[in-house]
Amino acid sequence: MKKNISLFLMLFFTVLTFAQKTVTGKITDDDGVAIPSASVTIEEPGKDAILAYGITNSKGEYKVTFTSAEPNVDLKVKAFNQKPLTKQISNSDQTLSFKMQSEATEIKEVQLKTKMITARGDTISYDLKAFNSKNDRTLADVMKKIPGIEVNNDGTILYQGNAINKFYVNGKDLMEGGYGTINNSLPKDAVQKVEVLENHQPVKILQDKVPSDQAAINIKLKNSVTMTGRGEVGTGFGDPWLWNVKLTPMFFGQKSQWVVNYKTNNMGEQVENEGNILAFGNRFEGKRINASQNDWLNVENADTPNLPVKRYLMNNVHYLSANYLTNIDKKKEWELKANANYTNNAVERESYSQKDYFGGTSNSIKILNNFYTDKAKGELIFTKNAKKGFFKNTTSFSQYWNADRGIVDRTDLKSGILRNANEGVESPTTSFQNSLSTIIPWKEKMVNLLSYVSYQTDRQTLQVSPSSYLDIPGFEPVANTEFATQSLRLKTFEANHSANIGFSAKGWTFTPEVGFNFKSTGMMSDLSNVKAIPSANPDKDPKPEAYSNDLNYTIATPYGSLGINYKNESWMIYANLPVNSNNIKAEDPLRLVSKSVNKVTFEPNIFAQYSFASFWKASVNANINNNFGEINTAYSGFLMTSPEGIRAMDVKNPIPQNNNKSAGTRIEYRNPLNNLFFNVNYRYSDAKRNLISNPEINGAGYTIMKYKEQDNHVLSNGYSVEVGKYFPKFKTNASLSYSNNTTESDAFLNDKSYTNKNNGQSFGIKFNNTYFSWMSVDYNASLTRTKQTSVGELNSNATRTGFTHNLGVFFYPMESHTVGFNWDQVNTNAAGQKYHNGFYDVSYQFTWTKKKIDFELKWMNIANKKVFETYDINTTNITYTRYQLRPSQVMFTVKFNFK
């Protein structure tokens, strides 16, 4: 492994240093006047391929860095109203200045032809018209086809494989990272172009001092004041009656912006996650997270298939959101943002699975679930983002009223014994967060203050009826009781405060920082109507206090760190070098829990990126971090986390201490001149743990989670390659991707030690084509292979392969008419079993062009496939699963723009 890393790093630095040459100079006219915006390109003689390019600044100065193995290259200069010139130069560093001759050309006819992709500095612009098809309606439809950009299933936008840090519309960040609503509902006709802002630092006062390796997206609209939006109203035939309503009006002005969004359906479309934060900005903006529940207690859950969600989601959802931004001062530096959303969702899910364990036992289980989500969130944000100062305060409040239900039939296939139960969890949660960040210029320095406070309460109650359903070793229900009940309450308080001061000189910025992080979690629980089966030695039987918990877990971490940042035209370097004093304590006196850790750690994080030859970027990064567990590793009273088992931690278990080291490298190429993008990534990590789990079944039969104090490792390494190119001549965007990831870890099962190794490989291809005026094609496919191997006192070997693809073909037989065909295919092959699952949809759409209204009739799941079957393999068993799917359904929908 070390040889592989050394070879990769040697290749990386070879690429950095091989034949890199720089040409600088000045371009003037006959009179010696500087010519701005002249293009300077480097090409290999006799080849129609640009190696590198540059644009002259307002002083006529240029700089071009290139890489070539040829002894000589061609330098070409072009400028408006000037005669182009070409000169062959040596492949070496040099300074060359040129005088261009004026050349006026009589233009009889002017035709404007917008370039598909253009680049200026760190901004790459995409002309949306070049990539859309006749069937596209929204921004998201077109974004998926742009080279270098991907859109994940959850709506996250990736540029060159990495998530963006900001999403702007006309330069304003209305959505604060929750950009899914705009991406899915902004009409493509309102958009002029999509801009990628590479190496984007969103805090203006830091733009020349603290670099960023992330990109942002800016959607530039055709008009500076735009009233627009998208709507759909649909009804369908099926059982039950189907509906789909989407109403998303939007306004984007110079002083204010707003988006209102209401979506509801019961046809399997997942819309409730549109408000999730997908882009988190910069740490100097403060801390923002997606508030979520601490789900400790759960009913038994039906599995979900590896299919598009629309194939199996039985839902009834209502999602309402509103986002508002306004400038509150004349200079337009201060912004007020108010965001709110509400979700009401009911989901039904059903599955049947059979597990054959490597030890010889097998069982089957049928589960019918109903999940009820009731959630409200509000957020208020004040921001000043100016060259002379920064301020941002974010206050958010979230409330959940969730409930889950389960009807379960479980059969032991050897004995034939059948058990069934009704299960339910009630889980209200309240969450409050406030984040403050301000940067104040002080002479030539910057003072940054950060404060984050969070408080959350989770209340959960799990009930199982009848209590006799529980078949947990060592436990039995209390006589004459119908319900087994587990109650739980969590109170979590977190506070992070820090202050730093920045010094800048000659491209370097040094930022010493001191801070204090504190987190306190209190956990109270009680298990009722269930007791441990008495043993032969009553003195060792659990005492009454063993059925509850009253645990406090605190983590206090004062720290000091030094931030180092550097940026010039080629290099970008940043490092954070913190020294942390970790103080962890777990206390539950009644259950004799009293354990602590006090340890000082050094946790550096280093990143360096080098840009060369105009189109290339290469980077390396490395970090060390430590983790000391959470409260769920410390409780010692019995806790029924699900009807499948009751757990308790041995009071003698020490606090976990995990040390993680990782390093990676990346080479990236993006050339807007020939529409080619690709990236190569490699990463290696070593997670060292001081504990390894070793579950023990005691004399009474129940399981106590014990740990061996034994150093062990989880070693991971992986690499990936992605290549994308747009072919203008064929109007085709195509990309290929490959990844290979291996994880090796030490493990125990039934007191037997073994080494577990998992290797996963994935190959993907996608393309879209709009060459023919009467047809467009979208295609995505992936081939995966997973191999699991266990070697030691327990041995196993299993392989699983899978193939998925989606084909969408749209025909345009006449103006305003569209016929569509969609094919989803999912194949699995494991343990000698092969399953092929195909799904087909057809659609017809008529467009009222004058009013920009679409009338669509769509038939989904033509074959009326009602179940999905697959095999899966893990370290202990082979599982056959059959999932309930949505039946065939027909929808009629009217789609329109608000303006």
Side-chain angles (χ1 to χ4, degrees), residues 63 122 199 208 211 506-508 566-573 609-611:
K63 179 180 180 180
D122 282 341
N199 301 322
D208 298 325
K506 296 182 180 180
W508 291 90
Y566 175 75
K567 184 177 182 180
N568 63 16
E569 291 184 356
S570 299
W571 282 98
M572 182 171 65
I573 301 171
Q609 177 180 281
Y610 181 66
S611 301

Side-chain angles (χ1 to χ4, degrees), residues 277-385:
I277 302 173
L278 303 175
F280 293 90
N282 186 288
R283 74 172 295 267
F284 289 95
E285 295 184 83
K287 184 175 180 178
R288 296 187 75 229
I289 63 173
N290 285 310
S292 61
Q293 296 182 288
N294 290 305
D295 293 324
W296 282 44
L297 309 183
N298 298 279
V299 299
E300 295 175 85
N301 288 343
D303 294 323
T304 57
N306 181 26
L307 284 175
V309 174
K310 65 182 180 181
R311 299 297 182 189
Y312 64 84
L313 182 62
M314 312 286 188
N315 68 330
N316 185 329
V317 62
H318 298 266
Y319 177 72
L320 175 66
S321 67
N323 299 75
Y324 177 72
L325 176 154
T326 185
N327 289 112
I328 55 179
D329 68 324
K330 293 183 179 179
K331 293 183 178 180
K332 296 183 180 180
E333 292 181 344
W334 283 90
E335 290 180 342
L336 167 65
K337 301 175 190 178
N339 309 319
N341 61 67
Y342 173 72
T343 304
N344 180 277
N345 191 19
V347 173
E348 183 179 299
R349 187 183 301 161
E350 182 179 347
S351 74
Y352 168 87
S353 62
Q354 178 179 323
K355 293 185 178 181
D356 296 315
Y357 291 88
F358 296 138
T361 63
S362 65
N363 60 52
S364 68
I365 181 170
K366 180 181 179 181
I367 303 176
L368 175 63
N369 287 128
N370 291 97
F371 303 107
Y372 302 100
T373 300
D374 217 8
K375 172 189 172 184
K377 179 183 178 181
E379 193 170 51
L380 194 63
I381 305 172
F382 287 94
T383 304
K384 177 186 178 182
N385 190 3

Side-chain angles (χ1 to χ4, degrees), residues 42-51 67-70 72-74:
I42 302 293
E43 301 179 14
E44 290 187 348
K47 297 181 181 179
D48 187 19
I50 298 175
L51 297 176
T67 300
S68 175
E70 297 292 331
N72 298 300
V73 295
D74 288 341

Side-chain angles (χ1 to χ4, degrees), residues 7 14 41 85 109 138 171 209 218 232 270 272 303 306 331 349 358 371 416 431 474 548 560 681 703 797 809 876:
L7 183 61
T14 300
T41 59
L85 62 86
E109 182 181 358
T138 66
K209 301 175 178 66
N218 179 46
E232 296 183 18
Q270 199 171 35
E272 62 273 15
D303 294 323
N306 181 26
K331 293 183 178 180
R349 187 183 301 161
F358 296 138
F371 303 107
S431 174
S548 60
N681 302 269
T703 300
N797 192 330
V809 183
T876 61

Side-chain angles (χ1 to χ4, degrees), residues 608-865:
Q609 177 180 281
Y610 181 66
S611 301
F612 59 103
S614 296
F615 309 119
W616 292 86
K617 290 182 180 180
S619 63
V620 293
N621 65 86
N623 66 78
I624 300 174
N625 65 76
N626 292 271
N627 179 274
F628 296 91
E630 289 287 346
I631 191 171
N632 58 356
T633 64
Y635 67 88
S636 65
F638 294 128
L639 190 68
M640 183 170 65
T641 56
S642 80
E644 296 179 273
I646 295 174
R647 301 182 67 191
M649 301 294 171
D650 191 333
V651 71
K652 298 178 182 178
N653 290 342
I655 291 176
Q657 299 182 42
N658 302 323
N659 176 267
N660 304 297
K661 301 182 181 72
S662 66
T665 185
R666 173 183 173 89
I667 297 175
E668 177 182 327
Y669 177 85
R670 68 278 182 277
N671 187 342
L673 299 179
N674 62 11
N675 311 308
L676 177 63
F677 297 77
F678 74 79
N679 58 83
V680 182
N681 302 269
Y682 176 80
R683 183 149 211 90
Y684 176 81
S685 67
D686 178 4
K688 180 182 178 182
R689 306 175 297 184
N690 68 320
L691 305 176
I692 189 167
S693 61
N694 184 29
E696 179 184 285
I697 299 177
N698 76 349
Y702 55 82
T703 300
I704 295 177
M705 184 59 71
K706 291 189 173 183
Y707 291 86
K708 287 179 175 288
E709 288 194 71
Q710 173 183 318
D711 286 347
N712 62 98
H713 294 260
V714 178
L715 303 176
S716 301
N717 73 88
Y719 58 89
S720 63
V721 181
E722 183 180 23
V723 182
K725 180 171 174 57
Y726 184 75
F727 300 89
K729 184 176 180 180
F730 302 102
K731 293 185 178 180
T732 297
N733 181 38
S735 68
L736 298 172
S737 62
Y738 175 76
S739 66
N740 189 310
N741 296 281
T742 301
T743 301
E744 188 173 336
S745 61
D746 302 317
F748 272 84
L749 180 65
N750 294 330
D751 210 27
K752 295 180 180 179
S753 66
Y754 64 99
T755 298
N756 187 54
K757 183 177 181 179
N758 285 280
N759 175 259
Q761 300 180 55
S762 175
F763 174 79
I765 180 174
K766 68 176 183 178
F767 72 86
N768 56 77
N769 177 277
T770 58
Y771 180 78
F772 300 102
S773 61
W774 52 271
M775 182 184 71
S776 62
V777 179
D778 294 302
Y779 183 75
N780 295 272
S782 67
L783 179 66
T784 60
R785 181 179 182 272
T786 303
K787 184 177 182 180
Q788 182 272 326
T789 306
S790 297
V791 178
E793 295 182 77
L794 178 68
N795 293 279
S796 65
N797 192 330
T799 301
R800 179 184 185 274
T801 60
F803 172 74
T804 64
H805 83 78
N806 171 264
L807 172 66
V809 183
F810 297 93
F811 300 94
Y812 315 103
M814 294 181 291
E815 187 69 25
S816 303
H817 297 267
T818 302
V819 177
F821 172 75
N822 187 78
W823 173 18
D824 288 324
Q825 183 72 38
V826 179
N827 300 342
T828 58
N829 183 0
Q833 301 292 330
K834 296 182 179 181
Y835 288 91
H836 293 186
N837 297 273
F839 302 87
Y840 311 96
D841 309 326
V842 294
S843 64
Y844 166 75
Q845 181 173 283
F846 171 74
T847 301
W848 187 2
T849 307
K850 184 176 180 180
K851 298 292 185 179
K852 294 185 178 180
I853 299 176
D854 298 320
F855 301 91
E856 182 188 63
L857 185 65
K858 190 171 186 178
W859 183 8
M860 292 165 283
N861 193 5
I862 297 173
N864 198 25
K865 192 175 185 65

Side-chain angles (χ1 to χ4, degrees), residues 251-271:
F251 174 78
F252 302 100
Q254 295 180 325
K255 183 179 179 181
S256 64
Q257 297 182 351
W258 56 260
V259 173
V260 177
N261 181 38
Y262 173 64
K263 293 183 179 178
T264 177
N265 74 86
N266 69 340
M267 54 170 289
E269 187 168 350
Q270 199 171 35
V271 298

Side-chain angles (χ1 to χ4, degrees), residues 22-26 62 92-98:
T22 300
V23 181
T24 60
K26 187 174 182 179
Y62 73 92
S92 62
D93 294 327
Q94 53 194 299
T95 299
L96 296 172
S97 296
F98 299 96

